[in-house]
Amino acid sequence: QVQLVESGGGLVQPGGSLRLSCAASGSIFSIKTMGWYRQAPGKQRELVATITSGGSTNVADSVKGRFTISRDNAQNTVYLEMNSLKPEDAAVYYCLASCTTPTSPLFPHDYWGLGIQVTVSS
């Protein structure tokens, strides 16, 4: 099983910054992709950004230029640097890790963190 632990959320003012962290642990062969999704009240969960093991990134248009995703493969950790935060960025942010494991050694399986609150308010 794979466990994801998120940290770094909280309350910031519009224009402020936060850095989210997510560390994966457990019986992991490899982590192919890590990333972040978010869900605001009354809205669907949406992709924020992902990064592959090779460093290729995919960033949502809504946050492009403001958010940066990075990864520390040695520690199985993904980061999301969030700058110039807007009220519409407020949401629960969920960490994703797509991993091969002993129970799924050929095809990656998605694992999710419990989510962490980001509030943007003055």
Side-chain angles (χ1 to χ4, degrees):
Q1 187 56 257
V2 176
Q3 298 83 43
L4 303 179
V5 179
E6 300 139 324
S7 62
L11 172 66
V12 295
Q13 295 181 353
S17 299
L18 282 175
R19 187 175 82 154
L20 304 183
S21 301
C22 175
S25 62
S27 300
I28 300 170
F29 284 163
S30 64
I31 304 178
K32 302 300 182 182
T33 303
M34 300 189 79
W36 296 91
Y37 287 67
R38 68 186 183 187
Q39 187 168 22
K43 296 185 177 181
Q44 298 287 335
R45 186 176 299 188
E46 64 177 359
L47 180 144
V48 179
T50 61
I51 184 168
T52 69
S53 60
S56 180
T57 61
N58 182 33
V59 182
D61 290 341
S62 59
V63 305
K64 200 165 189 176
R66 300 187 296 118
F67 292 9
T68 301
I69 190 167
S70 60
R71 178 171 176 170
D72 184 345
N73 290 330
Q75 298 196 18
N76 290 336
T77 300
V78 64
Y79 304 95
L80 186 69
E81 297 278 357
M82 303 186 293
N83 300 313
S84 301
L85 282 160
K86 304 175 180 179
E88 50 263 45
D89 295 318
V92 176
Y93 283 69
Y94 296 90
C95 179
L96 166 73
S98 183
C99 311
T100 57
T101 67
T103 58
S104 184
L106 298 179
F107 304 103
H109 184 273
D110 289 345
Y111 296 88
W112 294 91
L114 296 177
I116 189 164
Q117 181 71 51
V118 172
T119 302
V120 185
S121 176
S122 58

